[in-house]
Amino acid sequence: MSNLLLPLLDRKWSAIAIGASTGGPKTLTKIIANLPENTQAPPIFIVQHMPKGFTTAFAQRLDDICSLKVVEAKNGEVIKKGHIYIAPGDFHMTIQKQEIVQEIVLDQREKHLGVRPSVDYLFSSAAKIYKEKLLSIILTGMGKDGTEGMKDAKKYGGVNIAQDQKSAIIFGMPGSAIESGVVDKVLSLEDIMIQLKELLKR
């Protein structure tokens, strides 16, 4: 097995959070289509910068090609293993703990860095819940959304991955996170796909 995989396979993950913007739909489609079936897989949360109305169809398209269940997230929804949650357009998506379960919280507070949903808000809230068992991934996109959230993820002991410049359609978001020193691994899209497939097969 590649040395690339060993550090991530040593840890039992409770959640995976992914952020993307420009170029994200194409990139996410490749990643999601490659995931193995596993009803006990950690939940995956995705913020893709996309207008209201478009995320419903996007979630449905991903569900059609994925072995896991892909849904557009709903406010108050109890988080389940083996599910992928897409933040609805024009809503921030965060994670909140309620006694023995975690649930999705959607809100329409002001845009963050000009966008709603915000990758930062997702990463930061997930970090407080899942701590060292959170894997955060920042993919292609303009701007710097996700960098501050990765700082929180790092503070709570999680692991951060950024897509490399060669495979990213737009290197803004991953580049910002890398420059801030909060990224543990810089990987190509192909290697990110390999990592996630191996993690979810366990």
Side-chain angles (χ1 to χ4, degrees):
M1 183 177 292
S2 167
N3 289 334
L4 183 73
L5 292 166
L6 292 177
L8 293 185
L9 293 179
D10 281 346
R11 192 176 304 196
K12 185 170 177 62
W13 303 99
S14 294
I16 298 168
I18 301 175
S21 187
T22 311
K26 181 178 180 180
T27 300
L28 285 165
T29 297
K30 290 181 179 179
I31 291 172
I32 298 305
N34 190 57
L35 297 178
E37 183 177 1
N38 181 357
T39 58
Q40 295 303 304
I44 299 174
F45 308 101
I46 297 175
V47 164
Q48 163 65 52
H49 295 160
M50 195 176 270
K52 184 178 182 179
F54 287 81
T55 45
T56 304
F58 182 54
Q60 183 59 59
R61 286 201 306 273
L62 293 181
D63 188 53
D64 289 342
I65 62 170
C66 185
S67 299
L68 305 176
K69 182 63 180 174
V70 183
V71 298
E72 184 182 46
K74 294 181 174 60
N75 189 49
E77 185 170 7
V78 174
I79 294 162
K80 300 176 182 176
K81 292 181 179 180
H83 282 57
I84 299 173
Y85 300 92
I86 309 292
D90 203 34
F91 284 86
H92 295 304
M93 178 174 73
T94 56
I95 315 303
Q96 182 173 301
K97 184 163 184 163
Q98 294 286 0
E99 296 182 358
I100 61 171
V101 300
Q102 289 82 40
E103 65 180 31
I104 301 284
V105 176
L106 303 179
D107 70 79
Q108 287 188 303
R109 77 188 96 161
E110 291 185 6
K111 291 182 178 181
H112 173 69
L113 299 175
V115 295
R116 188 170 57 213
S118 160
V119 180
D120 279 333
Y121 289 172
L122 169 63
F123 285 0
S124 293
S125 67
K128 293 169 186 174
I129 300 294
Y130 299 108
K131 298 183 171 60
E132 75 281 357
K133 294 184 178 180
L134 174 69
L135 177 63
S136 301
I137 302 172
I138 195 77
L139 301 174
T140 176
M142 284 195 275
K144 59 180 183 179
D145 189 21
T147 297
E148 290 301 316
M150 279 194 159
K151 288 180 182 178
D152 283 339
K154 191 74 174 168
K155 180 175 74 176
Y156 282 95
V159 171
N160 296 329
I161 292 175
Q163 187 177 4
D164 71 0
Q165 186 167 8
K166 186 175 181 180
S167 67
I169 296 169
I170 301 290
F171 193 54
M173 284 165 51
S176 172
I178 293 166
E179 187 177 333
S180 294
V182 295
V183 171
D184 298 289
K185 285 180 174 291
V186 180
L187 302 177
S188 67
L189 174 58
E190 182 179 353
D191 283 334
I192 290 171
M193 291 168 63
I194 291 170
Q195 291 271 18
L196 289 177
K197 185 173 184 178
E198 289 300 318
L199 290 177
L200 268 62
K201 278 168 60 177
R202 300 170 70 203

